[in-house]
Amino acid sequence: MPTANSRPIAILMYHQIDTPPMRGTPFRGLTVAPQTFARHMGWLKMLGWQGLAMRDLMPYLSGERQGKVFGLTFDDGFANVHRHALPVLNRLGFTATNYFVAAQAGQSNHWDSAKGVPAAPLMTESQMADWVAGGHEVGSHTLDHTDLVHLEAHEARHQIHQSRERLEALCGSPVTAFCYPYGHYRAEHAAMVREAGYLSATTTDRGRIHAGTDWLELPRVAVTRTTHFPAMLQKLLTRYEDRRRAA
């Protein structure tokens, strides 16, 4: 379903909230320091912004509601998000969506090991229950964080459908938000996501959501270790994605 909001809406994309690893570590930028995250969220709150999980953002995307809002998402379900981000979100009254790798609860990001990314624990089922109890959303990132474009159709369908069923059994509530691992997908994968019953799916494409954006191909605004607050605010407020396309 296309969006119908009167103003563009940004969805922030985070991965880990922890002390960044040593310089030279692959993908070091995907780890945001806890104090940086807390400051940024606090300042946004003071400026009148409201961070929302995907399910809570939907009425704004459809135009049913208007407000100073942004989507708030975390990829992979890292335990450090439970430790460092969850208390901040609960204190500020923000909600967020965490895209969990359904078959890997309590394990680690083994899919990153070949790239030299240090292992980091993923949330256990108990920690996922804390996430839900705080009013936050469980989304799916497939069963195994598998690159869908490298799978046969029946394998991709299994990853998309079964992850939703497993997560719904774990959290006891509908799972309607999906995120494509690595941001890789084709039209047939978006069709599988729709077929599985998801209402939204996020990508790693950069940009804000405008009227007409397909809810199963939603762009996001990446927040990294070096993202300063003025830059984040600019991405929330301005059509920076259009400037990138024109460059």
Side-chain angles (χ1 to χ4, degrees), residues 102-104 143 161-171 175:
Q104 306 299 322
L143 284 170
H161 282 252
Q162 292 303 309
S163 59
R164 182 175 188 232
E165 292 185 13
R166 183 173 296 202
L167 290 170
E168 287 183 336
L170 284 175
C171 69
V175 172

Side-chain angles (χ1 to χ4, degrees), residues 23-41:
R23 186 171 298 178
T25 301
F27 295 97
R28 180 176 183 239
L30 295 183
T31 302
V32 175
Q35 60 270 29
T36 300
F37 176 78
R39 280 199 307 270
H40 288 181
M41 293 297 106

Side-chain angles (χ1 to χ4, degrees), residues 22-92:
M22 63 185 297
R23 186 171 298 178
T25 301
F27 295 97
R28 180 176 183 239
L30 295 183
T31 302
V32 175
Q35 60 270 29
T36 300
F37 176 78
R39 280 199 307 270
H40 288 181
M41 293 297 106
W43 289 339
L44 287 172
K45 181 73 172 182
M46 284 193 300
L47 291 173
W49 289 86
Q50 181 69 27
L52 297 176
M54 293 305 301
R55 61 158 189 248
D56 302 325
L57 193 67
M58 302 303 273
Y60 295 89
L61 298 185
S62 68
E64 296 172 36
R65 300 189 67 179
Q66 300 290 326
K68 203 173 178 182
V69 300
F70 60 93
L72 191 48
T73 63
F74 297 86
D75 287 12
D76 303 331
F78 287 103
N80 52 50
V81 171
H82 177 277
R83 181 166 64 255
H84 297 302
L86 182 58
V88 174
L89 300 175
N90 290 347
R91 183 174 70 250
L92 296 176

Side-chain angles (χ1 to χ4, degrees), residues 33-202:
Q35 60 270 29
T36 300
F37 176 78
R39 280 199 307 270
H40 288 181
M41 293 297 106
W43 289 339
L44 287 172
K45 181 73 172 182
M46 284 193 300
L47 291 173
W49 289 86
Q50 181 69 27
L52 297 176
M54 293 305 301
R55 61 158 189 248
D56 302 325
L57 193 67
M58 302 303 273
Y60 295 89
L61 298 185
S62 68
E64 296 172 36
R65 300 189 67 179
Q66 300 290 326
K68 203 173 178 182
V69 300
F70 60 93
L72 191 48
T73 63
F74 297 86
D75 287 12
D76 303 331
F78 287 103
N80 52 50
V81 171
H82 177 277
R83 181 166 64 255
H84 297 302
L86 182 58
V88 174
L89 300 175
N90 290 347
R91 183 174 70 250
L92 296 176
F94 287 0
T95 60
T97 299
N98 207 319
Y99 296 110
F100 291 94
V101 184
Q104 306 299 322
Q107 300 187 44
S108 67
N109 54 324
H110 61 83
W111 55 85
D112 286 330
S113 60
K115 304 169 189 171
V117 178
L122 303 177
M123 286 193 211
T124 63
E125 292 183 12
S126 175
Q127 290 170 325
M128 291 171 65
D130 290 342
W131 181 260
V132 172
H136 307 289
E137 182 179 26
V138 168
S140 169
H141 210 26
T142 71
L143 284 170
D144 302 299
H145 203 284
T146 306
D147 193 332
L148 296 173
V149 301
H150 294 156
L151 299 180
E152 297 292 336
H154 72 277
E155 295 173 319
R157 183 172 286 105
H158 177 76
Q159 287 283 330
I160 292 166
H161 282 252
Q162 292 303 309
S163 59
R164 182 175 188 232
E165 292 185 13
R166 183 173 296 202
L167 290 170
E168 287 183 336
L170 284 175
C171 69
S173 59
V175 172
T176 60
F178 185 82
C179 179
Y180 302 100
Y182 309 104
H184 299 167
Y185 69 99
R186 292 192 289 261
E188 59 262 36
H189 301 123
M192 292 175 191
V193 169
R194 180 179 290 107
E195 172 190 279
Y198 297 98
L199 301 180
S200 70
T202 51

